[in-house]
Amino acid sequence: MLDNNKKMLIITAILIFIIMTIIIGYANINGNKSSSPKPQNKTPIHQKDNSPAEKWYVQFTAKQQPTTAYTEEINAPRPANGQHYFTGGIAVHPRYPGYDPRVPIIPFGTVVYPSPPLEINGNKYHSLVVMDTGDINYGLWGDHPYWFDVYFGNTEYFNIKNAQKYGAKKHDYYWYEEWK
């Protein structure tokens, strides 16, 4: 038989082995945890796509519509779009005769492409921008809903002469509007 000292030594060794196994096991379980939690296996939430949607545009064409020219006093009220007058701006009919002049037949800010280009005060314009409404009741150009009036500048001698010289001319033109 083993003497008592050897029994105590074996028991102590077994206890140390058991304690070391428990400590190492605990360290492996808790020591591998990173500071950021691991993502859980859950179904991902689908976020709304906020990328800009593709826009579609429609090209409209007006054929042989009369165009005229106008000037405005420096202190005149602003055009129907609420902005300032500028050379290359045009006035168009309201959407309906006698209707609200703030609702034009061609939307404010729309770029119109005349063919051939227009000459305004000696400069050729290949594009014009809708900024105003005119002939509100379609009294002058009722048979031509897509008539437009070209702004020739402030009311001063040379602008008036150039606008009078321009007179009334028929033009073809086109523009684009967003498909809604």
Side-chain angles (χ1 to χ4, degrees), residues 8-180:
M8 289 301 277
L9 189 59
I10 292 174
I11 292 174
T12 305
I14 292 174
L15 286 174
I16 290 174
F17 176 77
I18 292 173
I19 292 172
M20 291 301 286
T21 305
I22 292 172
I23 291 172
I24 291 172
Y26 183 78
N28 281 339
I29 292 171
N30 292 327
N32 287 339
K33 290 185 177 177
S34 61
S35 58
S36 61
K38 292 181 183 177
Q40 297 177 358
N41 291 336
K42 290 186 177 179
T43 306
I45 298 172
H46 294 287
Q47 294 181 347
K48 193 181 237 183
D49 183 13
N50 289 332
S51 61
E54 185 175 330
K55 292 184 179 182
W56 291 67
Y57 293 88
V58 177
Q59 179 179 334
F60 293 92
T61 302
K63 299 280 189 185
Q64 292 299 296
Q65 292 296 302
T67 62
T68 53
Y70 76 107
T71 62
E72 277 294 347
E73 294 291 333
I74 291 174
N75 294 325
R78 290 187 178 189
N81 70 355
Q83 305 299 313
H84 295 283
Y85 287 98
F86 56 90
T87 306
I90 61 173
V92 297
H93 280 129
R95 184 160 301 277
Y96 305 107
Y99 190 65
D100 187 350
R102 295 169 296 173
V103 182
I105 196 164
I106 301 172
F108 292 131
T110 300
V111 179
V112 168
Y113 302 93
S115 177
L118 296 181
E119 187 172 318
I120 303 171
N121 296 330
N123 297 310
K124 292 244 186 232
Y125 284 78
H126 295 270
S127 62
L128 306 164
V129 179
V130 177
M131 69 170 180
D132 202 2
T133 52
D135 192 24
I136 304 303
N137 295 309
Y138 289 45
L140 299 172
W141 303 103
D143 293 338
H144 303 281
Y146 289 99
W147 150 91
F148 67 76
D149 207 5
V150 184
Y151 179 69
F152 265 60
N154 294 330
T155 302
E156 56 95 27
Y157 181 78
F158 291 107
N159 291 343
I160 293 170
K161 289 293 180 190
N162 288 335
Q164 288 172 341
K165 182 179 168 186
Y166 182 87
K169 298 178 182 179
K170 289 196 174 181
H171 275 279
D172 294 346
Y173 65 94
Y174 65 94
W175 70 97
Y176 298 96
E177 291 184 36
E178 185 178 343
W179 178 266
K180 295 180 183 185

